[in-house]
């Protein structure tokens, strides 16, 4: 297991921001992951688990403790059953399942990060969420000091949330198991209108899985959501805010504020979210509150391709990024009475 001291963490994140860790360990096997976690727990050392770094905002002072980078490898496909080691690169894993002609995660192509992070955030995009195909998650339980296998129903998945996110200091994901679909090379039914429109089909139709994946990659690239070292619009964590889910009163307030600000002929996007709640678009709120593409004058700005991405234009600090995020949150709340919630995990800082 590789060990470094006073190790820079910024290069391990897609934001390229944050100070160093006292110690950085890189684990390449499950046994090394467990050993590192146990050592930290036994000594009372703060522990930061790092996967692909695509969902991390690390403070400029860095991390006073041990950062554990999970670099485990393992891709096992048996029929429609897929098992991924936590350190597997997610985009590569999706591509391999598409090549195998299987459906279920083809619309999650291009999402940066590692496989082990997907159940934590219940990663989703373009009408798919990993919770719909995850069968089990193998994790190290820091409370019981045992390796446990959690079936889907024990993971408490919801929109961009899970038991792992709710109990961040308990579980360290080691492996993720999926049940995919053999639809003869076809995709799962397309559930996202933008994807269906881009492919010239109706919502609910199936298309070749490879075509669906290629279309999603093209759509994501157009929004700066596919990593490119030369493109500062991709120096981000993707969507910085989750789409707000509002109760009846909150939705009524949004409608009233929108009518007052934009006129009665303008209606905010609304999607049923169960239990009488409505999900609206964070990107729409940000744009209509005056934070348009490219907003900002400093080294941290809104992406020129998508209002939902905050970006490092080069030379930014984490505080630059947070100042922009706070400005957006305050502006949206003032305009529409909705409080945006950050999607990335913050380390040593908060909004």
């Amino acid at each position: 297991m590789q060990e470094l001291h006073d190790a820079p963490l910024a290069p391990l994140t897609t934001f390229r921001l944050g100070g160093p860790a006292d110690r950085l360990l890189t684990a390449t096997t499950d046994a090394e992951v467990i050993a590192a976690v146990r050592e930290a727990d036994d000594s009372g050392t703060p522990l930061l688990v790092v996967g692909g770094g695509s969902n991390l905002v690390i403070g400029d002072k860095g991390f006073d403790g041990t950062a554990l980078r999970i670099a485990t490898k393992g891709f096992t496909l048996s029929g429609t059953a897929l098992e991924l080691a936590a350190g597997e690169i997610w985009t590569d894993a999706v591509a391999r399942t598409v090549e195998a002609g299987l459906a279920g995660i083809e619309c999650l192509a291009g999402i940066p990060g590692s496989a082990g992070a997907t159940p934590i955030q219940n990663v989703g995009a373009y009408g798919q969420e990993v919770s719909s195909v995850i069968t089990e998650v193998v994790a190290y339980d820091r409370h019981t000091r045992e390796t446990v296998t959690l079936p889907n129903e024990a993971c408490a998945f919801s929109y961009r949330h899970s038991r792992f996110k709710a109990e961040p200091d308990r579980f360290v994901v080691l492996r993720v198991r999926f049940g995919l679909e053999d639809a003869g090379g076809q995709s799962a039914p397309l559930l996202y209108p933008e994807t269906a429109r881009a492919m010239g089909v109706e919502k609910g139709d199936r298309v070749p899985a490879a075509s669906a994946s290629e279309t999603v990659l093209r759509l994501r690239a157009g929004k700066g959501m596919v990593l490119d070292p030369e493109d500062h619009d991709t120096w981000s964590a993707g969507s910085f805010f989750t789409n707000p889910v509002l109760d009846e009163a909150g939705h009524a307030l949004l409608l009233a504020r929108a009518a007052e600000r934009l006129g009665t002929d303008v209606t905010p996007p609304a999607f049923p979210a169960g239990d009488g709640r409505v999900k609206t678009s964070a990107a729409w709120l940000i744009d209509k509150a005056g934070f348009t593409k490219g907003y900002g004058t400093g080294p941290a700005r809104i992406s020129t391709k998508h209002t939902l991405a905050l970006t490092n234009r080069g030379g930014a600090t984490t505080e630059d990024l947070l100042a922009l995020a706070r400005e957006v949150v305050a502006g949206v709340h003032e305009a529409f009475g909705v409080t945006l919630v950050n999607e990335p995990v913050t380390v040593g800082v908060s909004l």
Side-chain angles (χ1 to χ4, degrees):
M1 185 157 49
Q2 184 188 68
E3 179 174 345
L4 299 172
H5 294 269
D6 194 27
L9 293 178
L12 302 182
T13 74
T14 52
F15 264 125
R16 295 168 172 80
L17 295 176
D22 287 350
R23 184 171 71 148
L24 172 64
L25 301 177
T26 299
T28 57
T29 68
D30 290 354
E32 288 182 348
V33 172
I34 293 170
V37 174
R38 283 179 173 169
E39 178 194 26
D41 289 345
D42 289 343
S43 63
T45 302
L47 180 69
L48 171 64
V49 177
V50 180
S54 61
N55 205 44
L56 275 181
V57 177
I58 298 173
D60 293 317
K61 293 182 179 179
F63 184 68
D64 184 15
T66 295
L68 172 62
R69 179 171 173 258
I70 298 182
T72 53
K73 297 296 179 185
F75 178 103
T76 304
L77 186 60
S78 178
T80 58
L82 171 67
E83 179 179 287
L84 298 177
E88 280 289 329
I89 298 172
W90 178 250
T91 53
D92 293 348
V94 172
R96 291 177 69 176
T97 65
V98 170
E99 288 173 5
L102 298 177
I105 55 175
E106 65 279 1
C107 291
L108 302 180
I111 295 177
S114 62
T118 60
I120 298 172
Q121 191 72 5
N122 186 16
V123 163
Y126 295 95
Q128 290 184 340
E129 286 184 333
V130 291
S131 59
S132 68
V133 288
I134 286 177
T135 57
E136 295 178 331
V137 176
V138 180
Y140 176 70
D141 186 337
R142 297 169 69 181
H143 289 186
T144 64
R145 299 176 65 88
E146 296 176 332
T147 299
V148 296
T149 300
L150 300 174
N152 181 290
E153 57 270 20
C155 297
F157 289 122
S158 60
Y159 173 65
R160 299 296 177 272
H161 200 68
S162 69
R163 182 178 181 183
F164 310 105
K165 191 172 182 179
E167 301 179 73
D169 297 322
R170 180 167 183 178
F171 297 104
V172 178
V173 175
L174 302 173
R175 298 185 170 270
V176 188
R177 294 171 180 153
F178 303 82
L180 303 179
E181 179 188 7
D182 184 351
Q186 296 291 99
S187 70
L190 298 179
L191 301 179
Y192 200 70
E194 184 183 11
T195 315
R197 284 196 303 270
M199 301 200 71
V201 299
E202 296 296 321
K203 181 180 174 182
D205 287 351
R206 293 179 184 264
V207 296
S211 297
S213 185
E214 290 165 5
T215 298
V216 165
L217 284 171
R218 186 170 64 253
L219 291 171
R220 290 184 63 86
K223 300 173 183 177
M225 297 291 186
V226 176
L227 293 181
D228 179 353
E230 302 303 316
D231 183 359
H232 282 279
D233 278 328
T234 74
W235 290 31
S236 74
S239 299
F240 195 88
F241 300 104
T242 58
N243 288 324
V245 178
L246 308 174
D247 60 18
E248 186 175 343
H251 187 225
L253 175 61
L254 169 60
L255 292 175
R257 291 283 187 90
E260 178 183 335
R261 183 182 181 91
L262 305 170
T264 56
D265 59 334
V266 178
T267 303
F271 309 93
D275 298 324
R277 298 179 301 167
V278 172
K279 181 167 67 175
T280 191
S281 166
W284 187 93
L285 294 171
I286 292 167
D287 180 73
K288 298 305 182 185
F291 303 100
T292 53
K293 295 174 184 176
Y295 178 89
T297 57
R301 303 179 198 175
I302 291 178
S303 166
T304 66
K305 299 182 179 73
H306 200 296
T307 55
L308 204 47
L310 308 188
T311 67
N312 172 10
R313 310 313 294 185
T317 65
T318 301
E319 278 305 310
D320 292 329
L321 175 75
L322 294 177
L324 175 61
R326 291 172 186 135
E327 183 182 2
V328 171
V329 170
V332 168
H333 188 269
E334 181 180 359
F336 299 111
V338 176
T339 300
L340 295 178
V341 176
N342 54 289
E343 187 167 328
V345 175
T346 56
V347 178
V349 292
S350 65
L351 291 188

